[in-house]
Amino acid sequence: MTNIIDRIGTAPIAAAGLVGGYYVARETGIRPLGGVVLAAAGAAAAQGWYAKGGATTAVALGAVYLGGFGASHPLAKKIGAWPSVLGVAAAAAGASYVLVDRR
């Protein structure tokens, strides 16, 4: 039996973590709750990155994921919150697809 990461891939999980984390924080007004969503999805994606790509790939994609989260804040001041979040989610998902999921 395959797990969900094998069925859907890591790219959608990474994107969902960034978008979902922002959405939950924004709608509830509880930023740490958004962080829980971000962390849970990041951990799930990291499990897949490690299993399919090894430690180096997992660390690199983890840096892209967390870097995207960090970069979304100053980027939001220039282009708006949703465009920023969607842009970094697309970048993280794209990197995840290229380095792990398309294999």
Side-chain angles (χ1 to χ4, degrees), residues 70-94:
S72 69
H73 293 83
L75 186 59
K77 292 179 182 180
K78 295 182 186 244
I79 65 172
W82 275 114
S84 171
V85 170
L86 294 174
V88 299

Side-chain angles (χ1 to χ4, degrees), residues 15-60:
L18 288 159
V19 173
Y22 172 70
Y23 180 78
V24 167
R26 179 183 169 114
E27 293 302 311
T28 65
I30 305 169
R31 293 180 68 165
L33 188 57
V36 169
V37 173
L38 179 80
Q47 179 185 10
W49 297 331
Y50 181 76
K52 295 178 179 182
T56 302
T57 300
V59 168

